[in-house]
């Protein structure tokens, strides 16, 4: 039993180590900004034929959903705009052995306290399935108090077919006055959905992505 537990633990560590998610948040960022600007570049989509008509053009849809997520989850006035990838440069940064491309812009307006940039956004759609219920497959020996051992066959659960949507992105948050990076990194957010519309799944991806980036910052602390 100890050997099996060790193997499971080792596999868990390997999975965690393989994740390309990396985040940095400046612990000194405690002051709530008065106004924020978010710049988003056009996402690339793995299979544009799978996108519902409501998501076309994808750059407008993405900007709108980021704006919507901020309206309902932020306590800071926020302006969300599209920006051409030609106006974004990158600074490669090694984060725990993984190279992350930190987005940069040439100039920031002092009308805002902080700038956030979302770049290298990739949207991936795939057919997927998941198992719910049941217990690990195999025979389990059950020994009642004062009784003989009985074999109990574990159930495998129910497999549900559905779809998975995933959004990957590089991001950075700048203090406009000092030019200091307050937060930066690379995130991947995936959602499995069985019955909801695909467009709802994509929006949930965007919402969760924004909360992962800003959830522990003064921007979303009410």
């Amino acid at each position: 039993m100890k050997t099996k537990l060790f193997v499971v633990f080792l596999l868990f560590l390997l999975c965690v180590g393989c994740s390309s998610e990396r985040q940095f948040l400046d612990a000194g960022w405690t002051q709530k900004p008065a106004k924020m600007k978010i710049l988003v570049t056009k996402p690339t989509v793995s299979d544009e034929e799978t996108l519902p008509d409501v998501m076309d053009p994808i750059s407008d849809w993405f900007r709108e959903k980021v704006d919507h997520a901020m309206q309902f989850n932020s306590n800071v006035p926020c302006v969300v705009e599209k920006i051409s990838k030609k106006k974004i440069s990158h600074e490669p940064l090694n984060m725990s052995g993984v190279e992350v491309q930190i987005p940069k812009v040439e100039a920031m307006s002092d009308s805002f306290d902080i700038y956030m940039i979302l770049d290298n956004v990739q949207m991936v759609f795939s057919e997927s399935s998941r198992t719910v219920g049941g217990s690990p497959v195999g025979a389990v020996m059950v020994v009642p108090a004062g009784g003989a051992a009985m074999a109990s066959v574990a159930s495998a659960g129910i497999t549900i077919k559905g779809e998975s949507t995933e959004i990957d992105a590089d991001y950075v948050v700048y203090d406009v006055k000092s030019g200091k990076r307050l937060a930066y990194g690379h995130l991947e957010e995936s959602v499995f959905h069985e019955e909801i519309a695909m467009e709802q799944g994509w929006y949930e991806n965007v919402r969760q992505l924004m909360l992962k980036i800003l959830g522990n910052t003064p921007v979303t602390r009410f």
Side-chain angles (χ1 to χ4, degrees):
M1 177 61 73
K2 289 183 178 179
T3 302
K4 290 183 178 179
L5 290 174
F6 175 77
V7 171
V8 171
F9 180 67
L10 182 60
L11 289 173
F12 171 77
L13 290 179
L14 288 173
C15 289
V16 171
C18 291
S19 172
S20 61
E21 287 197 347
R22 294 292 186 275
Q23 283 189 275
F24 169 82
L25 176 62
D26 188 338
W29 182 18
T30 58
Q31 184 175 355
K32 172 185 166 183
K35 198 172 182 182
M36 176 180 185
K37 187 168 189 175
I38 300 180
L39 301 175
V40 298
T41 58
K42 181 180 179 180
T44 59
V45 185
S46 63
D47 184 1
E48 296 199 17
E49 292 183 1
T50 64
L51 293 179
D53 292 340
V54 71
M55 296 174 67
D56 186 34
I58 191 66
S59 55
D60 291 330
W61 179 91
F62 188 72
R63 188 215 65 81
E64 178 185 332
K65 295 311 176 187
V66 169
D67 183 48
H68 192 268
M70 294 301 295
Q71 288 180 29
F72 285 89
N73 296 281
S74 170
N75 63 354
V76 174
C78 181
V79 174
V80 184
E81 294 181 357
K82 297 185 297 181
I83 186 172
S84 169
K85 290 185 72 69
K86 295 179 180 179
K87 296 183 179 181
I88 298 290
S89 59
H90 301 91
E91 181 179 348
L93 188 65
N94 187 301
M95 299 183 70
S96 302
V98 175
E99 185 176 283
V100 176
Q101 299 294 325
I102 308 300
K104 295 176 63 177
V105 286
E106 290 185 2
M108 296 180 288
S109 169
D110 58 9
S111 298
F112 300 89
D113 291 327
I114 62 174
Y115 262 57
M116 175 178 169
I117 307 171
L118 280 171
D119 188 35
N120 292 330
V121 181
Q122 299 183 49
M123 300 175 60
V124 181
F125 168 85
S126 61
E127 295 183 354
S128 184
S129 63
R130 66 177 178 179
T131 301
V132 295
S135 56
V137 178
V140 180
M141 297 304 294
V142 180
V143 184
M150 298 180 297
S152 174
V153 179
S155 61
I158 301 173
T159 299
I160 299 176
K161 292 184 177 181
E163 301 165 341
S164 288
T165 54
E166 179 178 309
I167 296 180
D168 303 350
D170 295 326
Y171 72 92
V172 65
V173 180
Y174 286 103
D175 178 278
V176 173
K177 183 177 293 185
S178 67
K180 182 180 181 181
R181 290 190 299 240
L182 300 174
Y184 56 85
H186 173 84
L187 284 178
E188 302 170 358
E189 182 59 38
S190 60
V191 172
F192 175 89
H193 40 98
E194 178 193 2
E195 297 179 349
I196 65 173
M198 188 192 306
E199 194 259 351
Q200 289 179 268
W202 282 123
Y203 171 57
E204 182 62 17
N205 280 132
V206 174
R207 191 181 74 86
Q208 291 294 341
L209 185 76
M210 299 305 293
L211 289 176
K212 270 190 176 182
I213 295 173
L214 299 170
N216 292 315
T217 74
V219 173
T220 56
R221 291 178 191 154
F222 288 88

